[in-house]
Amino acid sequence: MAKRRTPAPDTPKLSPAEQRNELRFILSFYAEYKWRALIVLVIMLMSNSISLAFPKFIGDLLDTIQHSALTMDMWSITGILVSLFLVQAIVNYYTSVSLATITENVLANLRSRVFDHILRLPLGVFGERRVGELMSRVTSDITQIQETFTFTMMQLLRQSIFLVGGIVFIVIRSVRLTTPVLITLPLIIFIALVFGRRLRAISTQVQDILAGATTIVEETFQAIESVKSFTNEGYEHTRYQNRLSDYVRLAIRAAKIRSVFISFILFAMFGGIAGVLAYGVYLVRLNELSIGELLSFILYAFFVAGALGSFAELFGQIQRTLGASVRVREILNEQPEDTEAHDDRRRLSEITISTMSFRYPSRDEVYALKEVSLHIPAGARVAFVGESGAGKSTTAALIQRMYEPTSGSILFDGIPAHTLSLNTVRSNIGFVPQDIILFGSTIEENIRYGKVDASEAEVLEAARMAYALEFIEKMPEGMATVVGERGVKLSGGQRQRIAIARALLKNPPILILDEATSSLDSQSEYYIQQALEHLMKGRTTIVIAHRLSTIRRCDRIFVFHNGGVADQGTHEELIADTESLYARLCRLQFGDPEGNR
């Protein structure tokens, strides 16, 4: 059975050391802005500390009621308060904008790095991971990190200042009133840690399920024609709804845990404050405490209670971010291909495959190819034929180094393929697949994809040689026509000719044509065959064919069967053996042992 990597239903718990590693991983992206961010954080620390003066001045202001001779002090205190908060408002605006600017740039760089890394991953990774899952890593997971660093970290810093400063000031104001508050703190902190760990585990599962839901949407939209053809809209909706139900169930479970904790915090802290307030009133009556000092103490106690109450949500958000960070790091830890361009302009032409075997990473218990050996001389035109699943397309993919052989070797001009850079190998190969997928941009941009720096004249010439101008010029917008998602606005034959024009523009020394004329009508096929005949001259060409009429003029035909090369030779040599697999394939298609129509 094929192995597929799917999101784990139960995420392993992260140890404190692992959590610190995840946090360091995220903070590492701030290295470029570390000094600017540090300055902003220091200014923010000073600005938020101003708020701690508020309860003291309010208490002092209230105490002036008992001293009518201190009227000027009341206005002085009021002026100081207004001035302080005006300065704080201005500084908060600057720090908020500065930190948001830094974070947005950092997260944009992280998105760019993750996207670039995914692009450079081996093709096998895309067979193990679904597209929707990879999209979720770039979108929802990084958005989770973004929310934390644009809002949560600022709030955490602010509430930490209120907590520490509030505790210091209530101790200064009254040790007797402070004692009950400090006794409850260790219990609150312990419960916060327990709830935080549970929230992290559930939040990571929520991210996994959301990634799965995104995958369903992606796959459904990509195959929308099949969905509608089989009238499976209801089935796809049910699939998506079931995944959303799992998401809602876990999200509600997480909300319940947060709500229980917050409710406990509110009850414990504010209930405690009510008790402390009653005790404080008693001390005022004994003249051991002024009304202003009691009010200041209560305000500071509210600061402490509010900070503790917010920590549950803030820690939960950070835990969700650490869970998202784990998923992002999983992608970044995948070993990418080295696809960087190297100063290697050699043109490869001869291909030799020696006892090559291969197993797909997602199906490593079954050999897709077993001990394949073949030789393709420079400039030769060869064909790969055989039943579906015989190994033709897999061999072509290995020649392009989309995968590496499990054993055996591939040589280009006598040079082992693994000693050549991927860029060198792939830049020498032009590929026209049977299943054409175009980008949703214009016809010109799709053709230019074969050579991004091509001139307009080169693009037009490639389109002309592929007989694509015939339909392009009939369109009102010509080359600027938008082809739509995956090229849905064009017919199959038109998409095929765009792909051929793209390969023509690349002008490679090696061509791989996977049923390049399969989607064309008879007239278009004739014209394309003429263009391909011209294109293949002097180039090494591999034609993967199911329609055997297209490969009779090849220099050599390799007949694939059960992952190996069962036979090889010219059309005449292979057809001469009436019991050969090739002869049987010809009879099945044409009812004629000579392979004639």
Side-chain angles (χ1 to χ4, degrees), residues 52-349:
L52 292 173
F54 176 72
K56 178 185 183 306
F57 283 115
I58 291 296
D60 291 344
L61 187 62
L62 189 63
D63 281 341
T64 61
I65 296 175
Q66 299 175 332
H67 306 283
S68 57
L70 299 177
T71 304
M72 293 300 296
D73 289 341
M74 178 185 70
W75 292 112
S76 299
I77 292 170
T78 302
I80 292 172
L81 276 174
V82 172
S83 300
L84 285 176
F85 288 125
L86 178 61
V87 171
Q88 186 184 47
I90 295 172
V91 173
N92 278 348
Y93 171 80
Y94 165 75
T95 55
S96 297
V97 172
S98 297
L99 196 59
T101 301
I102 293 171
T103 299
E104 292 298 336
N105 280 288
V106 167
L107 270 298
N109 291 337
L110 178 57
R111 287 185 194 276
S112 178
R113 175 177 167 182
V114 173
F115 179 67
D116 180 69
H117 189 85
I118 291 174
L119 286 178
R120 298 177 189 279
L121 291 177
L123 199 59
V125 174
F126 291 87
E128 297 174 2
R129 293 180 181 269
R130 302 169 81 175
V131 173
E133 179 193 350
L134 296 174
M135 287 181 60
S136 181
R137 301 291 83 86
V138 179
T139 54
S140 62
D141 284 342
I142 296 182
T143 298
Q144 183 74 59
I145 297 173
Q146 182 180 23
E147 290 174 356
T148 295
F149 279 86
T150 53
F151 174 74
T152 305
M153 296 304 290
M154 293 173 57
Q155 284 295 104
L156 184 63
L157 176 63
R158 182 178 291 114
Q159 297 303 332
S160 297
I161 294 171
F162 289 165
L163 177 63
V164 175
I167 291 174
V168 170
F169 279 103
I170 62 176
V171 170
I172 293 174
R173 285 295 183 183
S174 174
V175 176
R176 295 170 67 181
L177 288 176
T178 303
T179 303
V181 176
L182 294 181
I183 289 175
T184 62
L185 280 180
L187 176 63
I188 299 298
I189 293 173
F190 172 76
I191 293 176
L193 292 175
V194 172
F195 274 84
R197 289 174 182 171
R198 185 59 182 157
L199 277 174
R200 183 202 60 77
I202 294 178
S203 298
T204 305
Q205 292 178 48
V206 169
Q207 289 297 111
D208 290 339
I209 291 176
L210 194 58
T214 303
T215 298
I216 292 174
V217 173
E218 174 73 13
E219 291 179 340
T220 301
F221 289 167
Q222 284 183 346
I224 190 63
E225 290 184 6
S226 297
V227 172
K228 291 185 174 297
S229 175
F230 288 93
T231 63
N232 274 337
E233 291 91 344
Y235 169 75
E236 294 299 339
H237 176 263
T238 301
R239 257 204 328 152
Y240 185 60
Q241 186 64 43
N242 289 340
R243 189 55 62 96
L244 285 182
S245 297
D246 292 339
Y247 168 78
V248 170
R249 176 178 56 80
L250 275 179
I252 291 175
R253 186 178 174 187
K256 287 180 178 178
I257 293 175
R258 285 195 299 271
S259 298
V260 167
F261 178 61
I262 292 173
S263 298
F264 170 77
I265 292 292
L266 292 175
F267 172 77
M269 293 307 300
F270 291 106
I273 288 174
V276 170
L277 178 61
Y279 182 53
V281 171
Y282 171 74
L283 293 178
V284 170
R285 288 180 177 177
L286 295 178
N287 291 323
E288 296 182 11
L289 198 69
S290 70
I291 294 177
E293 289 175 329
L294 176 60
L295 179 61
S296 294
F297 181 90
I298 294 299
L299 291 176
Y300 281 124
F302 271 108
F303 275 22
V304 173
L308 285 174
S310 66
F311 279 164
E313 183 65 29
L314 295 176
F315 282 141
Q317 177 71 23
I318 292 174
Q319 294 295 333
R320 289 192 292 273
T321 297
L322 295 179
S325 172
V326 169
R327 296 305 185 209
V328 171
R329 288 192 75 179
E330 283 181 0
I331 296 296
L332 293 178
N333 286 337
E334 294 277 5
Q335 185 63 38
E337 296 178 324
D338 180 11
T339 56
E340 294 295 329
H342 298 274
D343 189 19
D344 187 353
R345 300 181 181 276
R346 75 182 83 188
R347 290 178 68 82
L348 309 174
S349 54

Side-chain angles (χ1 to χ4, degrees), residues 333-513:
N333 286 337
E334 294 277 5
Q335 185 63 38
E337 296 178 324
D338 180 11
T339 56
E340 294 295 329
H342 298 274
D343 189 19
D344 187 353
R345 300 181 181 276
R346 75 182 83 188
R347 290 178 68 82
L348 309 174
S349 54
E350 182 183 51
I351 304 171
T352 303
I353 298 177
S354 178
T355 60
M356 179 179 68
S357 297
F358 175 70
R359 292 181 295 190
Y360 281 99
S362 58
R363 304 192 303 271
D364 59 4
E365 70 279 3
V366 178
Y367 276 98
L369 294 173
K370 194 166 184 180
E371 296 187 350
V372 172
S373 295
L374 56 86
H375 176 69
I376 305 174
R381 185 186 310 179
V382 304
F384 292 172
V385 302
E387 309 99 321
S388 296
K392 306 182 299 297
S393 296
T394 300
T395 301
L398 287 163
I399 289 173
Q400 297 175 80
R401 291 193 66 192
M402 297 299 178
Y403 304 93
E404 295 298 328
T406 304
S407 62
S409 62
I410 302 176
L411 291 84
F412 292 95
D413 294 344
I415 305 170
H418 68 272
T419 65
L420 298 168
S421 70
L422 288 174
N423 185 272
T424 297
V425 172
R426 293 174 186 172
S427 63
N428 274 274
I429 299 174
F431 180 59
V432 180
Q434 181 178 3
D435 183 18
I436 302 298
I437 298 177
L438 300 181
F439 296 95
S441 52
T442 65
I443 290 176
E444 180 180 357
E445 289 172 339
N446 272 283
I447 296 176
R448 193 184 294 277
Y449 204 74
K451 182 183 177 183
V452 293
D453 59 349
S455 65
E456 184 177 349
E458 289 176 313
V459 173
L460 287 171
E461 178 62 15
R464 185 191 65 79
M465 292 180 65
Y467 290 88
L469 279 180
E470 177 187 357
F471 69 85
I472 294 174
E473 292 177 342
K474 293 178 181 178
M475 295 181 172
E477 298 181 26
M479 282 285 188
T481 300
V482 176
V483 303
E485 186 73 19
R486 298 165 64 90
V488 294
K489 293 184 179 180
L490 302 180
S491 68
Q494 290 171 337
R495 291 197 297 269
Q496 201 83 23
R497 280 183 272 179
I498 295 295
I500 292 172
R502 190 158 58 193
L504 283 163
L505 186 61
K506 185 177 182 180
N507 193 25
I510 300 174
L511 291 171
I512 298 177
L513 309 175

